[in-house]
Amino acid sequence: IKAVGNPRTDLIINEEKLKESKESICSKHPLLKDKKKIYVYLPTNREYEDESKAFNPQLNWEELNDELYDDEIFILSRHPNMKEEYIKGMLYPRVKDYTVDSAMELLSVADVVITDYSAIMFDSTIMEIPMVFYCPDYDTYDCDFYLNYERDVPGEIIKDPNELLEAIRRAGENGYKESIKAFKEKEMGACDGKSTDRVVELIKDYLK
């Protein structure tokens, strides 16, 4: 196995592309321009025997909306395989479902990312965005982990929905920069914005 990096991550590191993504999502959702703290929730797919299954985030959306400050917004985006709507069409001023927008656009404006077992943690790590790992189903989650989850993830693990918002605010304040940088160096060291060049050169070498 050659650690040449992931070409897709070149876009995440590219400042011009990030600027374009930020401008794009803010033009679609002008509300984002008025918020000082943007929290993006990106849970992964749940499946059983290769079939997607429903996931209940166990969050009271109305209470969460009421507890958020006026300068905060909580954005959720479902995994493409997860079809059930979490907020069931309800409209809240500070909780929004932006599933139709790309993860790249959402990450470009995120102050804190909330995820669980998703590979989005690696994208967030490259961008050095503070993370909270919200896992209300940790004890019943039946997929294998690709790392020592409780030891390695670069952020606080939360299982109780009542503790989530304060954990998000802590992440926003603390940043967890040292743990993120350590995780980045260990897991994503070859993703430095030049992965595409290395993959191309590797292919050329094989074709000689």
Side-chain angles (χ1 to χ4, degrees), residues 41-44 46 55-59 114-118 121 132-141 145 149-150 153 155-161 163-164 167:
Y41 178 35
L42 294 154
T44 196
R46 267 69 172 174
F55 166 59
N56 177 12
Q58 301 179 30
L59 292 170
I114 305 97
T115 188
D116 38 37
Y117 323 105
S118 172
M121 78 170 76
V132 172
F133 294 85
Y134 176 54
C135 308
D137 60 345
Y138 183 82
D139 295 329
T140 58
Y141 187 68
F145 292 122
Y149 192 83
E150 290 193 281
V153 294
E156 189 174 357
I157 298 172
I158 298 296
K159 301 176 184 178
D160 185 341
E163 299 175 0
L164 180 59

Side-chain angles (χ1 to χ4, degrees), residues 25-88:
I25 195 167
C26 286
S27 67
K28 288 183 285 187
H29 306 291
L31 175 66
L32 296 177
K33 299 176 183 178
D34 301 327
K35 301 299 179 181
K36 293 182 179 179
K37 295 293 182 182
I38 299 174
Y39 310 136
V40 179
Y41 178 35
L42 294 154
T44 196
N45 186 40
R46 267 69 172 174
E47 61 183 34
Y48 178 72
E49 296 183 347
D50 297 327
E51 293 288 335
S52 293
K53 63 180 182 180
F55 166 59
N56 177 12
Q58 301 179 30
L59 292 170
N60 185 314
W61 302 109
E62 185 173 1
E63 286 185 6
L64 176 60
N65 176 78
D66 292 343
E67 291 172 1
L68 287 163
Y69 302 141
D70 288 339
D71 63 350
E72 297 176 314
I73 187 168
F74 186 99
I75 297 170
L76 64 96
S77 178
R78 302 186 311 278
H79 186 280
N81 291 344
M82 301 176 77
K83 305 304 180 184
E84 70 278 2
E85 291 189 15
Y86 294 150
I87 59 176
K88 310 297 183 184

Side-chain angles (χ1 to χ4, degrees), residues 12-208:
I12 296 174
I13 297 172
N14 187 297
E15 291 186 7
E16 188 60 35
K17 292 294 184 183
L18 282 174
K19 182 180 178 182
E20 290 175 5
S21 294
K22 188 170 185 176
E23 290 175 349
S24 174
I25 195 167
C26 286
S27 67
K28 288 183 285 187
H29 306 291
L31 175 66
L32 296 177
K33 299 176 183 178
D34 301 327
K35 301 299 179 181
K36 293 182 179 179
K37 295 293 182 182
I38 299 174
Y39 310 136
V40 179
Y41 178 35
L42 294 154
T44 196
N45 186 40
R46 267 69 172 174
E47 61 183 34
Y48 178 72
E49 296 183 347
D50 297 327
E51 293 288 335
S52 293
K53 63 180 182 180
F55 166 59
N56 177 12
Q58 301 179 30
L59 292 170
N60 185 314
W61 302 109
E62 185 173 1
E63 286 185 6
L64 176 60
N65 176 78
D66 292 343
E67 291 172 1
L68 287 163
Y69 302 141
D70 288 339
D71 63 350
E72 297 176 314
I73 187 168
F74 186 99
I75 297 170
L76 64 96
S77 178
R78 302 186 311 278
H79 186 280
N81 291 344
M82 301 176 77
K83 305 304 180 184
E84 70 278 2
E85 291 189 15
Y86 294 150
I87 59 176
K88 310 297 183 184
M90 296 295 291
L91 298 177
Y92 300 108
R94 291 179 288 276
V95 175
K96 302 294 181 182
D97 187 334
Y98 289 171
T99 297
V100 296
D101 298 296
S102 73
M104 175 75 169
E105 289 182 330
L106 294 172
L107 291 178
S108 73
V109 295
D111 292 297
V112 177
V113 166
I114 305 97
T115 188
D116 38 37
Y117 323 105
S118 172
I120 203 73
M121 78 170 76
F122 297 108
D123 295 344
S124 302
T125 295
I126 291 172
M127 299 171 71
E128 298 187 4
I129 305 171
M131 284 174 277
V132 172
F133 294 85
Y134 176 54
C135 308
D137 60 345
Y138 183 82
D139 295 329
T140 58
Y141 187 68
D142 54 7
C143 291
D144 291 334
F145 292 122
Y146 34 79
L147 42 73
N148 186 315
Y149 192 83
E150 290 193 281
R151 183 193 67 197
D152 293 341
V153 294
E156 189 174 357
I157 298 172
I158 298 296
K159 301 176 184 178
D160 185 341
N162 296 315
E163 299 175 0
L164 180 59
L165 184 54
E166 288 308 310
I168 293 170
R169 288 172 176 154
R170 280 196 299 274
E173 293 173 1
N174 298 332
Y176 303 124
K177 290 184 178 180
E178 293 305 317
S179 60
I180 289 174
K181 287 180 179 178
F183 187 79
K184 183 178 180 179
E185 182 176 344
K186 178 183 177 183
E187 304 288 345
M188 309 294 289
C191 296
D192 57 1
K194 300 178 182 178
S195 298
T196 303
D197 293 341
R198 285 194 291 271
V199 170
V200 169
E201 290 304 314
L202 185 63
I203 293 172
K204 285 181 178 179
D205 287 344
Y206 285 140
L207 294 175
K208 288 180 181 178

